[in-house]
Amino acid sequence: MNKKITIDDVARLAGVSIKTVSRVTNNEPNVRADTRIRVSQAIAELGYRPNPSARSLAARRSYLIGLVYDNPSPSYLINVQNGALTACRAAGYDLVIYPCDYRSASLADDLARMVQQSRLDGIVLTPPLCDMGVVTDALTEIDVPFTRVAPADEKFADQSVVTNDTEISRVMTHHLLDLGHRDIAFVRGHPDHGAVCNRYEGYRAAMAEAGIRPRKEWVVQGFNSVDSGEECARRLLRGAARPSAIFAANDDMAAGTLRAAHALGISVPGTLSVAGFDDTPMARQVWPALTTISQPIRRMAASAAELLLRRLRDQSSDDVSRHLECGLILRDTTAAAPQVRQVG
Amino acid sequence: MNKKITIDDVARLAGVSIKTVSRVTNNEPNVRADTRIRVSQAIAELGYRPNPSARSLAARRSYLIGLVYDNPSPSYLINVQNGALTACRAAGYDLVIYPCDYRSASLADDLARMVQQSRLDGIVLTPPLCDMGVVTDALTEIDVPFTRVAPADEKFADQSVVTNDTEISRVMTHHLLDLGHRDIAFVRGHPDHGAVCNRYEGYRAAMAEAGIRPRKEWVVQGFNSVDSGEECARRLLRGAARPSAIFAANDDMAAGTLRAAHALGISVPGTLSVAGFDDTPMARQVWPALTTISQPIRRMAASAAELLLRRLRDQSSDDVSRHLECGLILRDTTAAAPQVRQVG
DNA sequence: CCAACGAGTGACAACGCTGTCAAATTAGAG
DNA sequence: CTCTAATTTGACAGCGTTGTCACTCGTTGG
């Protein structure tokens, strides 16, 4: 076990001072090219790895980024995590995860405590926490930089990564309209979840553009879960006047809609078209496979982490893509509206 | 910002040496009760938090545990993560996650490099990595302690947390037998995935106990994915001689079976009963809701982390529960076998 | 030819904590 | 009370880096 190779060993082998070795490992300027090479060789030869604790202690930074979330969707989280992790590792940082409860009264305090305890250099905030004033205020107060993934508002624009969420919802609604649907219901997302909530705007815009004013009772309030989606769909499908399409603000609620349709013996997409949003793994796994919208979650999280890292290094963040595009995924739950079929 | 409170400040306020403060923060013995209280009060008053980097540097440990995985199931991972995280945080440790590719040729090297780079104090291994000799050997060689979650073999028994996997599969099979099923097919798990693979043994045992020798073509090889499950089910349901029940070694493959049944117009559970294993969120979300087996994943991971932490502290690990129980979850995809219904 | 300059380098003091070991105090035995 | 042993405490030297600042060079401009 040669676990104990320190900067001194490298310095000795390369015939320089430890400071020069430090300069090389940190890519600092003002090292002659040949010196740099000599040191690099010594590092490689010995298999030297700087001790992160010593480095942190001396440099007064932890090389740790925190990922703070309260999101019940495992696939979302895993994607966010992987994206952020990739970006962090590439920059020599590590990622520390903080699940939390966004409804907790002590949220801001808990967060501040954890952040200071681990001496995090920065924080990546995901929905719905990125939209909470108490959170952003607390972080601002203790002076910890943060970036936001898919915030619902326009604040901190240069510290946020966003998608064309609302716009793509409009496109999806037009897709349904193009299939001949006129009676399109919408299952709204959880009111606490700003981004999911905004998707409704796209639906409303498209309907307005088509000159259709949806019945009031066809816009229902869900809570992002499969169960709430099922319940909403049952309510929508119970009445005599049934919509021919249901657009749910997320896949879970769309899956709930599918369950309701199955249970009520309504054929999808023959009688009812269903659309979701998120392209979770489940979207492909339910039957029929769900038409939905895919978000580049991984890349969003990676960008958010990169944005943060740039800021930590005082570099310009101009070349980090902060706007990413969602895409329509057409599968098997949307088809021509019943009356359109009769025209054919 | 009073970010800079160090052990010296506490020592000064409490009127003791820094070493005594250190003793208190580390819960070391040999501090008089009243001294301890005085120091604790000073700590509370100042809001002191030990600097982890300094602590790590001096103590030659990182207070970091690594969670190493290659598992495509987000819900499994989130549960494992949360369990391990809870245990780590409670002990003042942090958790660092390492997604990796178990088929990579450089797996062992990569792992060793990462572990040494971050100076991890220990590793929690999850399936299928916990069953790979190259991994355990590499960790043993660099002398990094590890524990295993749900390994498929009996090695490192005192460093592993296991469930009654095989046994509960037997129970599930008996459940199907009790419902009158005789023609029970089994979809096996991925051969690389030892634990999932072992579930087959339970099925085989139960069938043997019932004096039934399943047809060879009714034991099919899946690969843990929904798609592979669907394909297997189609194969099983294509023939003239159809099983009346299909037991899949995991929920994803069971969901695939459901898809196949839907597509072929076979009613579940009327004509075909289906059972899965894992109780993933999807099990409740598909239609009909899946009969399955729930594993205490979170607690398993927590126990594995605790086991590891005990070892790091040189404490006995006798009071960590290393055997956890799975439970049958009866939902809507299993019912009496068709012929039994006719008897009634 | 000299002063001023910038690049390249190194000596050394932090950084904030724990380990070691010796000193001081207290408790226990006689 | 005294002497010894155990308990409690503190001084101090690291732990392995980076930041600061000073020093040594060739260059450059005057």
Side-chain angles (χ1 to χ4, degrees):
Chain A
M1 272 305 306
N2 48 358
K3 217 179 196 169
K4 312 222 167 279
I5 296 154
T6 73
I7 199 169
D8 295 282
D9 302 318
V10 178
R12 208 170 306 123
L13 179 60
V16 297
S17 75
I18 59 168
K19 182 63 212 184
T20 299
V21 177
S22 170
R23 289 199 178 91
V24 172
T25 56
N26 289 23
N27 273 315
E28 286 174 28
N30 298 336
V31 178
R32 251 197 348 244
D34 60 319
T35 311
R36 196 179 289 275
I37 290 172
R38 201 146 33 91
V39 172
S40 302
Q41 282 175 343
I43 289 175
E45 188 170 330
L46 296 172
Y48 166 69
R49 313 225 151 249
N51 180 319
S53 307
R55 197 214 274 267
S56 301
L57 181 59
R60 284 96 176 285
R61 27 158 82 208
S62 62
Y63 296 95
L64 250 34
I65 297 295
L67 176 66
V68 177
Y69 61 84
D70 175 0
N71 191 308
S73 163
S75 69
Y76 185 87
L77 286 179
I78 290 295
N79 275 309
V80 165
Q81 244 177 46
N82 285 340
L85 200 57
T86 307
C88 288
R89 292 270 158 83
Y93 278 68
D94 240 320
L95 188 73
V96 180
I97 56 180
Y98 289 93
C100 57
D101 178 357
Y102 81 92
R103 287 155 312 188
S104 161
S106 59
L107 175 62
D109 286 346
D110 294 347
L111 245 176
R113 192 168 323 118
M114 303 240 63
V115 167
Q116 297 195 322
Q117 177 146 343
S118 293
R119 298 278 199 285
L120 302 183
D121 290 341
I123 298 271
V124 174
L125 289 175
T126 61
L129 294 149
C130 59
D131 296 315
M132 297 178 64
V134 283
V135 173
T136 52
D137 289 352
L139 293 179
T140 305
E141 181 165 349
I142 60 174
D143 209 31
V144 173
F146 61 86
T147 54
R148 313 196 298 164
V149 175
D153 61 44
E154 306 285 322
K155 286 178 282 187
F156 311 104
D158 56 336
Q159 307 175 32
S160 304
V161 176
V162 300
T163 62
N164 56 342
D165 239 52
T166 309
E167 169 59 15
I168 198 81
S169 303
R170 212 188 111 255
V171 173
M172 175 65 91
T173 309
H174 274 297
H175 164 66
L176 293 170
L177 289 164
D178 290 348
L179 286 170
H181 293 280
R182 289 293 168 273
D183 303 327
I184 307 175
F186 192 87
V187 183
R188 301 191 64 169
H190 198 300
D192 289 350
H193 218 290
V196 178
C197 222
N198 284 348
R199 294 168 183 174
Y200 170 66
E201 300 306 326
Y203 160 79
R204 213 174 52 167
M207 293 299 270
E209 284 159 18
I212 303 175
R213 180 118 74 88
R215 300 179 182 223
K216 261 211 178 98
E217 66 270 28
W218 284 0
V219 174
V220 293
Q221 180 67 60
F223 298 96
N224 290 10
S225 69
V226 174
D227 286 347
S228 84
E230 180 168 0
E231 199 189 304
C232 287
R234 280 180 186 275
R235 213 178 315 142
L236 289 170
L237 299 171
R238 195 172 42 199
R242 277 184 188 166
S244 69
I246 298 179
F247 181 7
N250 78 356
D251 280 355
D252 279 6
M253 296 191 293
T257 302
L258 243 38
R259 282 182 61 93
H262 281 137
L264 297 171
I266 297 171
S267 102
V268 175
T271 309
L272 178 73
S273 282
V274 177
F277 198 124
D278 283 341
D279 196 25
T280 61
M282 194 187 50
R284 275 180 293 105
Q285 297 170 354
V286 292
W287 190 88
L290 204 55
T291 288
T292 185
I293 292 164
S294 81
Q295 290 191 102
I297 303 171
R298 238 191 95 102
R299 278 191 294 130
M300 290 169 71
S303 290
E306 280 164 18
L307 202 57
L308 185 59
L309 293 164
R310 298 266 167 164
R311 188 121 63 88
L312 293 177
R313 288 188 236 148
D314 251 345
Q315 293 175 343
S316 117
S317 55
D318 294 344
D319 52 336
V320 175
S321 59
R322 294 205 293 273
H323 292 266
L324 295 167
E325 300 278 314
C326 297
L328 235 56
I329 308 286
L330 302 180
R331 294 210 181 89
D332 308 334
T333 51
T334 47
Q339 64 269 35
V340 171
R341 251 193 308 180
Q342 290 162 5
V343 170
Chain B
M1 273 306 305
N2 48 357
K3 217 178 196 170
K4 312 220 166 280
I5 296 155
T6 73
I7 199 171
D8 294 284
D9 302 318
V10 178
R12 209 170 306 123
L13 179 61
V16 297
S17 76
I18 59 167
K19 182 62 212 185
T20 299
V21 178
S22 170
R23 289 199 178 90
V24 172
T25 58
N26 290 6
N27 274 314
E28 285 175 28
N30 297 337
V31 178
R32 250 197 348 244
D34 60 319
T35 312
R36 197 179 288 275
I37 290 172
R38 201 146 34 92
V39 172
S40 302
Q41 282 175 342
I43 289 175
E45 188 170 332
L46 297 172
Y48 166 70
R49 313 227 147 249
N51 180 318
S53 308
R55 196 213 275 267
S56 302
L57 181 59
R60 283 96 175 282
R61 29 159 80 208
S62 62
Y63 296 94
L64 251 33
I65 298 295
L67 176 66
V68 177
Y69 62 84
D70 176 0
N71 190 309
S73 163
S75 69
Y76 184 87
L77 286 180
I78 290 295
N79 276 309
V80 166
Q81 245 177 45
N82 286 340
L85 201 56
T86 307
C88 288
R89 291 271 157 83
Y93 278 69
D94 241 320
L95 188 73
V96 179
I97 56 179
Y98 289 92
C100 58
D101 178 357
Y102 82 91
R103 287 155 312 188
S104 160
S106 59
L107 175 62
D109 286 347
D110 295 347
L111 245 175
R113 193 169 321 118
M114 304 239 62
V115 168
Q116 297 195 322
Q117 176 146 344
S118 294
R119 298 276 199 285
L120 302 183
D121 290 341
I123 297 271
V124 174
L125 289 175
T126 62
L129 292 149
C130 58
D131 296 314
M132 297 178 63
V134 283
V135 172
T136 51
D137 288 352
L139 293 178
T140 305
E141 180 165 350
I142 60 175
D143 208 30
V144 172
F146 61 86
T147 54
R148 312 196 298 165
V149 175
D153 61 44
E154 307 285 322
K155 285 178 282 187
F156 311 104
D158 57 337
Q159 308 174 31
S160 304
V161 175
V162 301
T163 62
N164 56 341
D165 240 52
T166 308
E167 169 59 17
I168 198 81
S169 303
R170 212 187 111 257
V171 173
M172 175 66 90
T173 309
H174 273 297
H175 164 66
L176 293 170
L177 290 163
D178 290 348
L179 286 170
H181 293 279
R182 289 292 169 273
D183 303 327
I184 306 174
F186 192 88
V187 183
R188 301 191 64 167
H190 198 300
D192 288 352
H193 217 290
V196 178
C197 223
N198 283 349
R199 295 168 183 175
Y200 170 66
E201 300 307 328
Y203 160 80
R204 213 175 52 168
M207 293 299 270
E209 284 159 18
I212 303 174
R213 180 117 74 87
R215 300 179 181 223
K216 262 213 177 95
E217 65 269 29
W218 284 358
V219 173
V220 294
Q221 180 68 59
F223 298 95
N224 290 11
S225 68
V226 175
D227 286 348
S228 84
E230 181 169 358
E231 200 189 305
C232 287
R234 280 180 186 275
R235 213 178 316 143
L236 289 170
L237 299 172
R238 196 172 43 200
R242 276 184 188 166
S244 69
I246 299 179
F247 182 8
N250 77 356
D251 280 354
D252 278 7
M253 296 192 293
T257 302
L258 243 37
R259 283 181 60 93
H262 280 137
L264 297 171
I266 297 172
S267 101
V268 174
T271 309
L272 178 72
S273 283
V274 177
F277 198 125
D278 282 341
D279 195 26
T280 61
M282 193 186 53
R284 275 181 293 107
Q285 297 169 354
V286 292
W287 190 88
L290 204 55
T291 287
T292 184
I293 291 164
S294 81
Q295 291 192 101
I297 303 171
R298 239 191 93 102
R299 278 190 294 131
M300 290 170 71
S303 291
E306 281 164 18
L307 202 56
L308 185 58
L309 292 165
R310 299 265 166 164
R311 189 121 62 88
L312 293 178
R313 288 187 237 149
D314 251 343
Q315 294 174 342
S316 116
S317 55
D318 294 344
D319 52 337
V320 175
S321 60
R322 294 205 294 273
H323 291 266
L324 295 168
E325 298 280 314
C326 298
L328 236 54
I329 308 286
L330 302 181
R331 294 210 182 89
D332 308 333
T333 52
T334 47
Q339 63 271 33
V340 170
R341 251 191 309 180
Q342 290 162 6
V343 169

